[in-house]
Amino acid sequence: DQQVKQNSPSLSVQEGRISILNCDYTNSMFDYFLWYKKYPAEGPTFLISISSIKDKNEDGRFTVFLNKSAKHLSLHIVPSQPGDSAVYFCAATPDNYGQNFVFGPGTRLSVLP
Amino acid sequence: NAGVTQTPKFRILKIGQSMTLQCTQDMNHNYMYWYRQDPGMGLKLIYYSVGAGITDKGEVPNGYNVSRSTTEDFPLRLELAAPSQTSVYFCAGGGAYSNQPQHFGDGTRLSIL
């Protein structure tokens, strides 16, 4: 049973518009969440994170929103650029110490010029 | 900066053969990890290490072994390759706390035929 779900395998967005990638989790003990971006033939790279004590975290064009009651988080990219085309993984952990992360299956984002 | 380096990038093995996937890092990470990623799935943890001489099993350890004789190196050993081990393997390094993102290598694509 997947504890971290990304129900959209793929998403296409026009350049300049907003991209919204969603992630749902089932374990109420998860306390810290991260988003990674992955290009073909490369390893995942860290994008942005959020702790459960917050409901929003921003870094430039990237904003992550957390709704703990709904066990849902989302990544907003505004404005979307062709270079954002990649696979995005959501990851969660119940631990503050130690890195026992559970990864979602990923969403492939295509930003069309 | 080399970061986390994995070799080889690609390998084809026959059933029953053995091999070692190499991983080395120059970021002085205490924690190191091996993941596998199957198509349409998230990364699953195989083994991890919290420091030289200390290793522990992750979610999917069967069929694999690891060692950590130095801080820099964390090789993954397949003793009797099976088709179910066809996957992309990622090595990562990180700190002790959840807010210290993991740094990934570029992966090894392994096919067992």
Side-chain angles (χ1 to χ4, degrees):
Chain A
D1 185 31
Q2 283 190 336
Q3 295 187 69
V4 177
K5 303 176 184 181
Q6 294 177 256
N7 291 323
S8 298
S10 63
L11 174 69
S12 292
V13 171
Q14 211 67 35
E15 181 180 4
R17 306 293 290 268
I18 184 171
S19 294
I20 300 176
L21 294 91
N22 293 306
C23 177
D24 296 288
Y25 60 95
T26 57
N27 188 341
S28 58
M29 298 301 291
F30 283 150
D31 209 35
Y32 201 81
F33 306 86
L34 297 87
W35 285 93
Y36 283 84
K37 177 169 73 173
K38 183 184 179 305
Y39 293 119
E42 295 183 9
T45 56
F46 170 73
L47 192 58
I48 192 168
S49 63
I50 188 165
S51 164
S52 61
I53 62 173
K54 294 186 175 182
D55 55 15
K56 176 182 174 181
N57 189 27
E58 275 183 274
D59 185 0
R61 297 184 298 113
F62 302 92
T63 302
V64 56
F65 295 92
L66 175 62
N67 182 335
K68 282 208 76 175
S69 61
K71 296 190 183 69
H72 176 82
L73 63 156
S74 60
L75 175 68
H76 292 212
I77 307 173
V78 184
S80 301
Q81 300 174 352
D84 297 328
S85 297
V87 177
Y88 290 79
F89 293 99
C90 171
T93 178
D95 305 316
N96 180 46
Y97 184 83
Q99 299 196 341
N100 183 20
F101 288 104
V102 178
F103 285 81
T107 295
R108 182 178 302 277
L109 173 67
S110 299
V111 180
L112 309 173
Chain B
N1 281 342
V4 178
T5 303
Q6 292 182 237
T7 56
K9 292 190 183 302
F10 305 96
R11 184 72 184 267
I12 299 174
L13 282 182
K14 293 183 179 178
I15 295 171
Q17 286 186 319
S18 62
M19 79 162 293
T20 299
L21 282 66
Q22 302 290 346
C23 175
T24 187
Q25 56 110 354
D26 62 1
M27 306 177 79
N28 207 31
H29 289 308
N30 285 324
Y31 281 58
M32 293 189 76
Y33 308 82
W34 274 106
Y35 294 92
R36 59 178 285 173
Q37 186 193 9
D38 300 324
M41 305 291 287
L43 283 73
K44 293 193 181 296
L45 184 64
I46 306 171
Y47 269 95
Y48 68 99
S49 168
V50 302
I54 307 170
T55 63
D56 208 345
K57 295 177 181 179
E59 181 183 357
V60 290
N62 291 343
Y64 307 95
N65 278 299
V66 294
S67 59
R68 185 97 181 270
S69 57
T70 66
T71 300
E72 292 78 21
D73 299 306
F74 190 40
L76 177 73
R77 178 88 177 156
L78 282 73
E79 290 295 349
L80 287 171
S84 61
Q85 294 177 304
T86 294
S87 190
V88 181
Y89 292 83
F90 290 101
C91 178
Y97 294 95
S98 300
N99 62 356
Q100 296 171 287
Q102 295 176 13
H103 295 94
F104 286 82
D106 286 341
T108 294
R109 184 174 296 275
L110 182 62
S111 296
I112 316 294
L113 304 176

